[in-house]
Amino acid sequence: LHTEFTWHTSHLKNPKELISRIAGTAKSLKASTDNSAIFRQGWKVMFTNPIIWFRNAIQSFQNIIKTLGGKEVMDGLNAEILSDRYYDMAKTGKLDVAKIMTEEPFPAQWIKKVPVLGRIYKASEVAFTAFVQKTRFDVFKTYIDAAIKSGVDLNKAELISIGKMVNSLTGRGHLGGIEPVAGFVNNVFFSPRLLKSNIDVLTAHAFQKGASSFVRKRAAINLVKIISGTAAIMATANA
């Protein structure tokens, strides 16, 4: 572990990279060895699309076992998404799926090379990424079907509007003007995109530029479901 970390930090060109790498490594280690996505990023989907949430939550534990056994889960999932008939619409709508990317809590990839720890880290990352991306794509398809039934014109602007709503609903908000330096911000601050996604959902996308009437209506319904479900859990716990 010390050798790997020393090699990576010695090749950094400036203090910003050093800070980013150290912060990213600390963040990645803190986020690993668990399956937190099902509630942390999945909390909102649990109330708005419970069947999708439950199915993918169960699958996330199976993915941990498969990854520990040496199977490449993400290759299969990406192939499944890329071959789906909805993928072109998802791509047009800028949905964050099936890309060469990592989700927020796992910016440090070199840890995978560490014996034993690397395999556990990878299993945790795969469970997290597969759950979030599969859930994101499944929810997107659900809203596309709803839009079609409602007679909504699925032009590029509409697809982008739906894509932003689904990205936020699954913990990946857009950082606006600071997006060009999002990688550094993400390493230094814990899950800024998740924070932004929560703001988007709690304001029912009222401040989303170009949000369609379909998206605003769905976002309002989602907010009611999330607040009602969370309130019910809190009331039960209090009782």
Side-chain angles (χ1 to χ4, degrees):
L1 177 60
H2 178 267
T3 302
E4 281 286 343
F5 186 75
T6 301
W7 188 91
H8 280 267
T9 54
S10 66
H11 285 69
L12 300 178
K13 298 178 181 179
N14 56 56
K16 179 182 176 182
E17 289 186 49
L18 178 61
I19 293 171
S20 179
R21 184 63 60 84
I22 292 174
T25 298
K27 176 179 180 177
S28 296
L29 289 171
K30 179 177 175 60
S32 61
T33 66
D34 64 21
N35 191 15
S36 61
I38 60 176
F39 288 119
R40 189 171 180 82
Q41 273 72 12
W43 182 263
K44 299 182 285 291
V45 179
M46 183 172 67
F47 297 116
T48 58
N49 303 87
I51 295 177
I52 290 175
W53 177 88
F54 182 78
R55 181 176 65 239
N56 291 334
I58 295 298
Q59 184 62 48
S60 69
F61 289 99
Q62 296 174 353
N63 288 340
I64 290 176
I65 296 173
K66 290 179 181 178
T67 303
L68 290 174
K71 293 185 178 180
E72 294 296 332
V73 173
M74 288 307 303
D75 288 347
L77 176 60
N78 286 334
E80 177 185 338
I81 292 175
L82 288 168
S83 62
D84 195 283
R85 64 190 180 92
Y86 287 83
Y87 177 69
D88 286 342
M89 287 188 285
K91 184 177 180 180
T92 301
K94 299 182 179 180
L95 192 72
D96 282 325
V97 293
K99 299 177 181 179
I100 300 175
M101 58 179 287
T102 57
E103 294 294 327
E104 277 195 297
F106 298 91
Q109 295 299 294
W110 67 269
I111 303 175
K112 294 178 183 178
K113 298 179 181 180
V114 181
V116 183
L117 174 62
R119 180 63 64 87
I120 296 173
Y121 176 88
K122 182 179 180 180
S124 181
E125 181 192 29
V126 167
F128 192 108
T129 304
F131 170 81
V132 172
Q133 294 206 18
K134 183 65 164 61
T135 299
R136 188 172 293 146
F137 191 61
D138 288 347
V139 171
F140 178 80
K141 293 195 293 183
T142 296
Y143 287 124
I144 291 298
D145 288 340
I148 292 173
K149 290 180 180 179
S150 299
V152 175
D153 179 17
L154 292 175
N155 52 43
K156 182 178 180 179
E158 185 68 50
L159 289 173
I160 291 176
S161 188
I162 294 174
K164 285 184 178 180
M165 176 180 67
V166 176
N167 281 337
S168 291
L169 195 62
T170 53
R172 198 168 182 89
H174 190 268
L175 299 179
I178 64 172
E179 196 67 40
V181 292
F184 176 77
V185 174
N186 178 52
N187 285 355
V188 177
F189 299 99
F190 205 93
S191 301
R193 285 193 174 94
L194 176 60
L195 174 61
K196 180 57 166 58
S197 75
N198 289 336
I199 293 173
D200 291 340
V201 172
L202 289 173
T203 57
H205 290 264
F207 304 106
Q208 177 182 317
K209 184 178 180 180
S212 66
S213 58
F214 172 79
V215 163
R216 292 186 187 279
K217 180 179 178 180
R218 291 288 167 171
I221 293 173
N222 288 341
L223 181 58
V224 171
K225 289 180 178 180
I226 294 166
I227 291 175
S228 299
T230 303
I233 290 176
M234 293 179 68
T236 302
N238 186 59

